[in-house]
Amino acid sequence: MKLFRYYQAKHALGVLDELEIRTSIPNTLNDPFELSPNIDPLQFTQKKTEAFLRADHNVDYWYAREGRKFGFTSRKAYKRHYLKDIPRRAAELLPKVPKNVEVVRKNFADDFSRRWRIVCASRVPDSILMWSHYAANHTGAVLEFDTSEQPFCRITNLTLPVIYSEKKPDYVHYNKYREFEKSLFTVATTKAADWSYEKEVRIIVAAGKPLRDSLYIPISPASITAVVCGCRMPAVMKLQIRAALKHPHFSQVRLMQAVLHRSEYALTFNEEN
């Protein structure tokens, strides 16, 4: 699969020189509606709340908080006591659910950002709106990436098309991690219908290693297969991009020039030598 990223000229040149791309911290994305789900408090029934409290991380949490205070010297002994007490704890927790849900909703983007980064890309290279918004009024460039190359081929299961919707996504809490993660990523890849022209694909990347400074992901030179120069790109920037592409590891890269269509509101791309 080929994916496209729109850049200011200097940032496109930076990708070619440094062989890394900058990920986005989710809570800094330009749309304030990002990662702002709808969470229905009614999903947390007595039964589901009990199942939530049985999760190992909750056992660990409460053992650390009250285990020794109650005289337990081992997690195993405390767990037996804790599990017997779960129905009471769940009944006590239920009235607090609406308030807790609102806190989770407000902090959703911040909490997600502690663990994940996002690489935003598009399935199309010729959106005149995105050339205007993200490529500095057509003075920048679009880079074409081949997702069968590193690092994209390692994270294909987390390369997800964006869903465009008139309503916010519903976040449903699951106790099983795989379902829980899927629910998280549904929220992270749902945007307002107004953004549908972007035809966006998002790559979800765990924060931390191998990211440099928890932001920059290294890429293989082979993953870059084309550079499209904007119709208004300054000649000096185009010369610098040409110079960068002379490196032997970019022998596969096609250099393209965006040109305004004569009779339509559209762009055409001419391949250059």
Side-chain angles (χ1 to χ4, degrees):
M1 178 169 62
K2 297 294 177 66
L3 293 179
F4 305 91
R5 282 174 59 84
Y6 293 72
Y7 287 100
Q8 293 182 34
K10 64 181 180 180
H11 294 151
L13 189 60
V15 173
L16 299 176
D17 288 340
E18 303 297 333
L19 288 177
E20 60 182 15
I21 55 179
R22 190 184 191 280
T23 64
S24 295
I25 302 173
N27 62 1
T28 66
L29 293 169
N30 61 358
D31 181 1
F33 287 97
E34 294 275 11
L35 289 139
S36 174
N38 175 55
I39 308 176
D40 184 359
L42 295 179
Q43 68 180 281
F44 296 98
T45 61
Q46 173 79 17
K47 184 177 179 181
K48 286 189 175 182
T49 303
E50 289 181 13
F52 169 73
L53 290 173
R54 285 192 194 97
D56 283 342
H57 67 87
N58 280 317
V59 179
D60 293 338
Y61 173 79
W62 286 107
Y63 176 57
R65 285 197 66 178
E66 64 183 26
R68 295 192 182 278
K69 186 171 97 173
F70 290 169
F72 293 96
T73 57
S74 73
R75 181 184 183 280
K76 185 176 181 181
Y78 173 79
K79 184 177 179 179
R80 287 195 296 268
H81 159 79
Y82 174 84
L83 292 178
K84 290 178 183 178
D85 195 38
I86 277 182
R88 181 195 66 81
R89 290 174 183 257
E92 190 177 85
L93 185 60
L94 275 175
K96 303 174 184 177
V97 163
K99 183 177 179 180
N100 291 342
V101 160
E102 183 60 14
V103 171
V104 170
R105 188 190 67 78
K106 286 184 176 179
N107 295 333
F108 199 96
D110 292 338
D111 291 339
F112 188 89
S113 299
R114 291 188 184 96
R115 293 192 56 202
W116 303 101
R117 298 289 180 265
I118 294 175
V119 177
C120 303
S122 176
R123 288 180 279 114
V124 298
D126 57 354
S127 166
I128 58 176
L129 286 176
M130 284 197 287
W131 271 102
S132 296
H133 296 162
Y134 304 127
N137 300 330
H138 297 252
T139 64
V142 164
L143 302 189
E144 178 186 87
F145 295 93
D146 183 350
T147 60
S148 68
E149 299 289 344
Q150 299 283 5
F152 308 104
C153 60
R154 295 199 311 267
I155 45 182
T156 52
N157 60 319
L158 295 180
T159 301
L160 307 169
V162 167
I163 302 161
Y164 298 100
S165 174
E166 297 292 343
K167 294 183 178 181
K168 290 183 176 183
D170 291 322
Y171 171 70
V172 179
H173 179 80
Y174 294 98
N175 292 315
K176 293 183 178 179
Y177 184 77
R178 184 170 293 183
E179 293 173 328
F180 166 72
E181 191 175 72
K182 183 178 179 181
S183 185
L184 279 181
F185 293 162
T186 296
V187 175
T189 55
T190 302
K191 297 180 68 172
D194 289 354
W195 295 97
S196 61
Y197 69 90
E198 292 188 337
K199 296 181 173 59
E200 188 178 349
V201 172
R202 290 189 163 177
I203 302 169
I204 312 294
V205 183
K209 293 182 179 180
L211 301 188
R212 179 176 69 80
D213 296 335
S214 292
L215 276 179
Y216 297 90
I217 184 169
I219 61 173
S220 162
S223 68
I224 303 173
T225 49
V227 176
V228 185
C229 297
C231 61
R232 290 176 170 176
M233 178 181 283
V236 65
M237 290 304 304
K238 189 169 181 180
L239 285 173
Q240 291 181 53
I241 285 177
R242 277 187 175 277
L245 292 180
K246 287 182 179 179
H247 196 289
H249 62 212
F250 286 139
S251 60
Q252 79 286 352
V253 178
R254 295 171 298 132
L255 180 62
M256 315 288 287
Q257 176 63 54
V259 178
L260 300 184
H261 195 283
R262 289 186 177 184
S263 60
E264 300 174 9
Y265 290 114
L267 295 168
T268 59
F269 299 149
N270 296 335
E271 185 164 0
E272 301 194 347
N273 296 324

